[in-house]
Amino acid sequence: RTVSMMWCWPGSCPAKLAVEHADPGAESFLESAGRGLVLELGIGAPQTQFGLRKAGRTVFCDIRVGRHVFECDGELKYDDAKVLWEEKRRQDFITGFKLGMSRITYHDIFAGRAQARARLLREYADTEARFGSDISDLAAYAVHRRPRAA
């Protein structure tokens, strides 16, 4: 209701999309807004919090469609070199399953939406051309996150 009253405010369109397409798997506003952006691509229904486990390591990807994951990144996350290094290792782990990956930032949501859509479609198409879209081979590695307590 509140978002509908802000129809002329800067950034109100992405906020409205985030509310309309809210998903209990989203862990932040940026993940909800990113899911709205992925829905705009028309490539299929996004899955939030897609989990993978192998050799004692478990990771959850923000958004997945087919064999492509979309990670929503806030800038503060990367202020520390150690955090940046761990995120690089995490990306290597995820893409080691023959999954493509795109990054979605606040700029993509609020300032560069048209350019972001074009880039995300190119990256998704590249993943589909290289690996297809079927994830049945990942069933043995899939992890389902338990819903958080309200």
Side-chain angles (χ1 to χ4, degrees):
R1 175 166 145 51
T2 303
V3 172
S4 65
M5 295 186 298
M6 301 184 294
W7 63 271
C8 63
W9 291 20
S12 63
C13 288
K16 183 179 178 204
L17 276 171
V19 170
E20 285 176 1
H21 301 293
D23 180 284
E27 295 185 335
S28 68
F29 166 77
L30 183 58
E31 286 183 23
S32 291
R35 186 170 178 273
L37 181 59
V38 171
L39 281 165
E40 286 177 29
L41 301 177
I43 56 175
Q47 176 188 357
T48 56
Q49 300 307 317
F50 174 67
L52 292 166
R53 178 178 295 135
K54 183 177 179 185
R57 182 168 190 173
T58 303
V59 300
F60 288 89
C61 304
D62 296 336
I63 302 164
R64 180 197 61 80
V65 178
R67 291 193 81 94
H68 197 84
V69 297
F70 300 85
E71 290 293 300
C72 301
D73 297 323
E75 188 176 339
L76 292 176
K77 180 176 172 179
Y78 299 113
D79 278 350
D80 181 333
K82 187 174 182 174
V83 172
L84 184 60
W85 178 250
E86 183 51 38
E87 184 60 24
K88 193 249 182 278
R89 291 183 61 234
R90 182 178 174 280
Q91 182 167 337
D92 289 347
F93 179 77
I94 293 166
T95 58
F97 287 95
K98 295 188 178 179
L99 295 168
M101 182 181 287
S102 293
R103 301 269 177 192
I104 297 173
T105 66
Y106 277 97
H107 179 269
D108 295 331
I109 301 296
F110 293 108
R113 201 169 187 89
Q115 297 89 344
R117 276 195 307 265
R119 174 180 57 82
L120 296 173
L121 280 171
R122 283 192 311 270
E123 292 169 352
Y124 178 82
D126 179 62
T127 295
E128 203 166 58
R130 291 187 306 150
F131 307 126
S133 59
D134 180 46
I135 62 163
S136 59
D137 62 307
L138 300 179
Y141 306 104
V143 178
H144 301 284
R145 181 171 272 178
R146 286 181 281 154
R148 286 184 271 164

